[in-house]
Amino acid sequence: MSSYDDTVNSRASWPHAPLHELSEHGTYFVTAATHGKENIFRGAERLRYLRDTLLTVASDLNWELEAWAVFSNHYHFVAHAPPGSQSGETLRELIRLVHGRTAVWVNRCDGLSHRRVWHNYWEVRLTYQKSYFARLCYTHQNPVKHGLVRIASHYPWCSAQWFETTAKPAHVHTIYGLKTDRLHVVDDFDVAPEW
């Protein structure tokens, strides 16, 4: 099995502070799923690789991530398109690179060469502040929804701890106080309990 450190560039950058507003270039909520909802990214090493690849590619393409959560068979993120990107045209490139790099790596780990790793992704351009804030809450709190932790910030493969330490307490309270039960999100995944 190839180790994480052998293949990932450790320069995955985490944003310095949340933006907390919709971007004029486009703010998106994205969900992506593995093929057949298979728990391919089970365990810390694989989750770390998936998270770091997402953060690195987003940074390389000048996308500003505000919330992210990665799991054994899917991930979610909220991000702002880069300046000069009127319609988020680089989103497709971001997803292509993340899926390509992680598929090659995880297949090499499993000694497979042609397994289909990723199935699809769904994106929504967010245009209302309340919808944007609700999706930030949903993404930060997703590990709790999936029953992996009781407190989202205890799950190392999501942005909750980062958000809670970089945002103002009043903003954290506001975001976490939003109801998310009426959101239409593709999220019927049975995630692996190992993380």
Side-chain angles (χ1 to χ4, degrees), residues 28-50:
Y28 293 84
F29 174 74
V30 175
T31 299
T34 59
H35 185 68
K37 300 179 184 177
E38 188 179 343
N39 289 301
I40 296 172
F41 292 92
R42 179 187 308 248
E45 181 180 32
R46 291 172 185 225
L47 289 166
R48 182 181 304 111
Y49 187 84
L50 177 55

Side-chain angles (χ1 to χ4, degrees), residues 43-96:
E45 181 180 32
R46 291 172 185 225
L47 289 166
R48 182 181 304 111
Y49 187 84
L50 177 55
R51 181 204 56 198
D52 288 355
T53 301
L54 173 62
L55 293 173
T56 298
V57 171
S59 176
D60 289 349
L61 295 177
N62 297 315
W63 277 78
E64 251 185 277
L65 289 180
E66 274 219 63
W68 60 91
V70 301
F71 304 97
S72 58
N73 59 2
H74 74 289
Y75 64 81
H76 305 284
F77 69 80
V78 177
H80 305 290
S85 173
Q86 297 303 316
S87 63
E89 63 270 1
T90 58
L91 179 59
R92 186 173 315 159
E93 180 68 3
L94 187 157
I95 301 297
R96 184 187 71 76

